[in-house]
Amino acid sequence: MPIVVRIDVELAKRKMSVGEFAERVGLTPANVAVLKNGRAKAVRFSTLEAMCRVLDCQPGDLLEWVDEGTGEEIP
């Protein structure tokens, strides 16, 4: 999948657990796992907004496009 989810990186930077993150965003820990593992097919803007608010970051900090052909991250 060319969109890589970087929630785990942002959680680690803030030393925040998945459980705390899930509670503050209003998701179940299982749904956070689906997002973190790249199994989600879509993300609501309201959920993305809540994640950014909780982590004090931009959407681009959480989602990144990677070229499938080369595997390289695109700046």
Side-chain angles (χ1 to χ4, degrees):
M1 177 194 252
I3 301 294
V4 178
V5 181
R6 303 274 188 217
I7 294 172
D8 53 345
V9 173
E10 296 302 318
L11 289 176
K13 285 181 184 177
R14 290 156 182 80
K15 296 180 173 68
M16 185 181 296
S17 71
V18 170
E20 179 185 354
F21 177 69
E23 184 177 323
R24 291 178 63 185
V25 172
L27 297 172
T28 66
N31 283 339
V32 172
V34 168
L35 287 167
K36 278 180 47 178
N37 296 326
R39 295 189 316 257
K41 299 294 181 193
V43 179
R44 293 180 188 269
F45 281 145
S46 59
T47 301
L48 185 58
E49 178 186 356
M51 292 189 299
C52 289
R53 186 175 353 94
V54 167
L55 294 173
D56 189 29
C57 67
Q58 294 295 315
D61 297 327
L62 300 175
L63 304 172
E64 181 176 14
W65 181 78
V66 176
D67 188 334
E68 274 189 324
T70 65
E72 293 182 21
E73 299 173 1
I74 307 301

